Amino acid sequence: MNTENTLNDAECLVSCENASLGYDGKSVVGSLNWDARAGDYLCIVGENGSGKSTVVKGILRLLPPLGGKIRFGRGVKRNEIAYLPQQHQDKKDFPAGAGEIVLSGNLGRMGLRPFYSRQEKAAAAENMERLGIAHLKNSPFRELSGGLQRRVLLARALCASRTLLVLDEPA
C-alpha cells in the first residue's frame, strides 16, 4: 500500500475523507466522511439505487474514488477483508458441500499451499457451529434452503475475515 492510502491511526480500519464514488466519471455518492474502527458496526441504509453497493465496492477497493480518499489502517490487508455479496439465483447451484464452501474462505491467504491447516479446519468448524449449521457440513450446498445457504456463505466470510467483514444486503 502506498502511504497516501494508509492511515496513521492504528485503531482505524477504514476512513472515508470527502470521498466521491461513481462510474464513468459521474458521481453516485459524494461527501462521504466516516471512520470505522475495530468493533464498529457501520450500516449503510438507503433506497434501491442510492449507491449502497457502490460504497461497498469502494471499501473493497474495487472502485477507486472519483474524489477525496478512502484510506485503510495498516493492519487491513486486501486478502483479509471478507465480503458477503447479495446472493442471486445463479450462484445457488454451486456443486460443493457446505463444509467445503466454508473452508474455502481461507483460500485468499493460503498462497500456493495445497492443503488446509488444522487451525483453518478448526475455524471453519467453529464458525459453522456458531451459526448453527455444523450438522450440514456434508450437505450439498445446492440442496439447502436460501436461508441456510446464506448462513454457509456467512460462515465462509467469517473464515476469510481477519480485520474487516463487509456484508451487502445482509438481511
Side-chain angles (χ1 to χ4, degrees), residues 133-161:
I133 56 171
H135 65 287
L136 300 174
K137 178 181 177 183
N138 297 316
S139 298
F141 181 73
R142 67 176 164 250
E143 293 178 11
L144 300 177
S145 69
L148 290 175
Q149 287 181 350
R150 197 78 174 142
R151 285 189 195 190
V152 168
L153 294 174
L154 179 56
R156 179 186 187 278
L158 290 170
C159 285
S161 176

Side-chain angles (χ1 to χ4, degrees), residues 2-57:
N2 68 37
T3 54
E4 183 176 314
N5 293 328
T6 304
L7 292 165
N8 290 327
D9 183 347
E11 293 182 22
C12 193
L13 299 176
V14 181
S15 177
C16 283
E17 299 172 5
N18 203 30
S20 174
L21 296 163
Y23 306 92
D24 300 323
K26 294 185 181 187
S27 180
V28 174
V29 291
S31 302
L32 296 175
N33 289 290
W34 52 265
D35 293 335
R37 300 179 183 288
D40 283 355
Y41 292 88
L42 175 66
C43 298
I44 303 167
V45 180
E47 305 216 1
N48 288 342
S50 64
K52 299 181 300 291
S53 293
T54 301
V55 172
V56 167
K57 288 177 185 176

